[in-house]
Amino acid sequence: KQWYQRRVAITTGAWFGFENLCRYQKPWDLDLQLRPMNIWKIMSESGNTGPWRNPSKFSFMNRDTQMVAEMLDIPYKPLSNFAEAAAVRGSFPTLKTLAACQILYPDHLEELSRQSWLGLYSRDIDITDEGNIRHFARAAQIPDVDKLIEFSSCNEAKQQLVDNTTEALDSKCFGAPWYTVTNPTTGKREKFFGHDRVEMLGWVIGKEYKGHHPPQ
């Protein structure tokens, strides 16, 4: 299998890249390893600025996001209050839960990530609410939801999130989605940014990209 690492953050771009790459796990025989990370820390430490700081970019992003969702057949709908969801509520409790899942139930991390994104960007609900997080965990078939929620408040889960974020920053990450993969020919670790880089990633590892819904 080709070992591949994918950084997870609660953004639309990260969701789109996540779904597109997950569709290629079987066709490309990928050992996909998800790593939840703190996108706010990434942006701050890398010196990057979000599109919300640029009115022209933010306006463009709204339509671009909608078109990408339609192209990838992902059930996205715009948030009713982006400022409240992003700046007030944030996603820290969700990220800690994902980090806890990475430790306790790594085989369920993909689906828990998906359910969290669906909650935010399909149903426009508060993904930091414990009741909603429990719902995501049940939908992801987490074996012991109570254990996951309790563990997400422990220092070990918080440290896992910090470690993931630090590891991403050490690889010069500046946003999400962020991918790292080993070139099988040169042995060099290659890095990619953006939901539209899955095809290029496949080219690097010698795999053919067959559209947004590849044969399984």
Side-chain angles (χ1 to χ4, degrees):
K1 284 182 177 290
Q2 172 63 49
W3 183 86
Y4 170 80
Q5 196 169 53
R6 165 75 168 78
R7 306 294 174 176
V8 180
I10 306 297
T11 67
T12 52
W15 183 24
F16 298 161
F18 162 87
E19 293 291 1
N20 201 15
L21 190 64
C22 283
R23 294 169 184 174
Y24 276 91
Q25 285 187 83
K26 290 183 179 179
W28 288 354
D29 194 26
L30 294 175
D31 180 14
L32 184 59
Q33 300 188 20
L34 303 174
R35 296 291 182 265
M37 67 180 185
N38 185 339
I39 189 61
W40 302 107
K41 183 72 171 177
I42 294 291
M43 299 287 283
S44 174
E45 293 293 323
S46 68
N48 195 5
T49 58
W52 52 87
R53 294 182 179 274
N54 184 309
S56 296
K57 187 185 294 186
F58 189 69
S59 176
F60 170 83
M61 186 189 75
N62 288 334
R63 179 55 184 151
D64 184 70
T65 300
Q66 190 68 55
M67 289 193 295
V68 173
E70 292 173 5
M71 179 181 71
L72 295 176
D73 193 24
I74 290 175
Y76 162 82
K77 72 175 184 179
L79 296 173
S80 58
N81 191 328
F82 177 84
E84 180 181 350
V88 179
R89 294 199 301 260
S91 58
F92 194 54
T94 315
L95 289 171
K96 288 192 299 179
T97 305
L98 292 172
C101 186
Q102 178 187 343
I103 297 170
L104 296 177
Y105 308 112
D107 291 343
H108 295 265
L109 182 54
E110 176 185 331
E111 190 56 34
L112 183 58
S113 301
R114 179 175 291 111
Q115 293 299 324
S116 300
W117 270 306
L118 286 168
L120 181 60
Y121 291 118
S122 283
R123 298 193 292 275
D124 196 12
I125 62 177
D126 181 3
I127 63 170
T128 66
D129 176 79
E130 183 178 315
N132 289 333
I133 293 175
R134 287 179 175 274
H135 172 78
F136 303 152
R138 288 192 294 270
Q141 299 184 331
I142 298 295
D144 191 331
V145 175
D146 289 336
K147 181 179 179 179
L148 177 71
I149 298 300
E150 181 179 358
F151 191 78
S152 70
S153 297
C154 295
N155 289 333
E156 188 175 350
K158 297 176 185 177
Q159 189 59 50
Q160 184 65 67
L161 182 61
V162 170
D163 291 346
N164 291 342
T165 305
T166 300
E167 184 182 12
L169 285 168
D170 288 344
S171 71
K172 307 303 180 184
C173 175
F174 54 84
W178 184 258
Y179 319 87
T180 58
V181 65
T182 300
N183 186 315
T185 301
T186 65
K188 180 182 178 182
R189 292 292 288 173
E190 302 287 1
K191 296 166 284 189
F192 304 88
F193 167 75
H195 62 76
D196 56 351
R197 290 299 187 267
V198 175
E199 183 175 3
M200 184 182 292
L201 189 153
W203 172 74
V204 166
I205 62 175
K207 301 292 186 178
E208 182 181 359
Y209 186 79
K210 296 184 177 181
H212 310 309
H213 293 283
Q216 299 294 312

